[in-house]
Amino acid sequence: MDTLRIGIVGLGRLGRVHAENIACKIPGARLTAACTTRPETVEFARQLGVTALYTDFDRMLSEAEMDAVAVISTSSEHCRQIAAALDAGKHVFSEKPLGVNLEQCLQAQAAVERHPELTFMLGFMRRYDPSYAYAKQQVDAGVIGTPYLVKATGLDPEAVVEDAIRFCKNSGGIFLDAGIHDIDLMRWFLGSEAEEVYALGATFKHPEFRQAGDDETGLAVFRFANGAMGSIHVGRTCPYGYHVETEIVGTEGTLRISAVPEKNLARVYGPGGVRAECVASFPERFREAYLLEMQEFVDCVRTGRRPGTTVYDGVRSTAVGYATTEAWRTGRPVKIHLP
């Protein structure tokens, strides 16, 4: 296959990142169609050279000239669209989370298993971030001995909290929405599956989250099958920017990734002292990771190689996220049963 023709569904903040990467930055890929229900995104698609524009996903599947679909829509639509695209004979890249409940995820898994001839890849892009990929190489090489604890922090900026409030009703809850990447990374770094979780949530600033049945911040602690531990702190009201960091503790050392979430290597010296600017958003922090993961998807389709992130990663991470949500809602520890 010389050129992979890709259609995209969803042109929100992250959808625009993927659309621009496909259209402008990835050799061997071409953006041929787009599905969006937001009128303000139509002109953006046209600027990328897309002329096949749709408001109905199923119509795009049946009419557009494309070999693959990038599913970047709202989380509750992912699994339905994944199954429909695979059944239509299209390769599929899907953003996280795989689904907002386990039943949806298992339906997507069944669709992937029905079509072993097609490529499916889930967008756990942090695995492709150079810093995280390097840390994984060091863990696998035994540099820090046996890893037994992963501590993760993921805080979205207050600057986009209104978007978070609007989205939270359909997000599956703060742990599925904001913690799914950290859950996947814990599994990845520790080489084990979570068996039990205890979680808490709180809302101090924006009561709209509680009114929607959600929280603005959350904390969860995990016990893994091999005896290792994990913790995640997620939030939506970070006052200074987008703060993501991960610490992996082992018997012989520790790895820290993005301990200071800096925008660049510059320092501002002024009356208030020395200041380092913080990254403003996840598209900025993981710009290279989003490009590398989509390049991996395109390369896998064109060469027949299987991606490193699979539907099973999505199912298991979602099962953990769902159990974490149950623990948060009930205030009790929850045993995690993986399918």
Side-chain angles (χ1 to χ4, degrees), residues 8-11 32-38 41-42 50-66:
I8 190 169
V9 53
L11 286 175
T32 57
C35 177
T36 176
T37 58
R38 298 169 59 179
T41 63
V42 171
V50 180
T51 56
L53 298 169
Y54 299 87
T55 57
D56 183 87
F57 176 73
D58 296 312
R59 186 179 172 192
M60 182 178 78
L61 276 183
S62 64
E63 293 182 1
E65 294 183 354
M66 58 187 187

Side-chain angles (χ1 to χ4, degrees), residues 97-106 171-177 179-180 183 194 196-199 220 222 232 314-330 332-339:
L98 181 62
V100 297
N101 60 52
L102 195 54
E103 181 182 5
Q104 286 186 1
C105 293
L106 292 175
S171 70
I174 188 170
F175 290 104
L176 278 169
D177 177 30
I180 198 74
I183 290 170
E196 189 173 16
V197 58
Y198 177 70
F222 302 84
I232 60 174
V315 170
R316 290 165 187 165
S317 294
T318 302
V320 175
Y322 202 60
T324 308
T325 300
E326 182 184 349
W328 159 65
R329 286 178 175 158
T330 63
R332 298 191 302 268
V334 171
K335 298 287 186 182
I336 300 170
H337 302 287
L338 299 180

Side-chain angles (χ1 to χ4, degrees), residues 1-6 18-31 290-303 305:
M1 181 182 295
D2 292 331
T3 301
L4 183 67
R5 301 171 301 175
I6 303 176
H18 284 301
E20 188 172 8
N21 284 340
I22 295 167
C24 307
K25 300 179 182 179
I26 298 179
R30 183 159 63 93
L31 188 64
Y290 285 119
L291 177 60
L292 290 172
E293 71 168 357
M294 190 59 73
Q295 181 68 69
E296 171 73 357
F297 172 68
V298 171
D299 290 345
C300 284
V301 173
R302 296 177 71 199
T303 64
R305 179 167 50 83

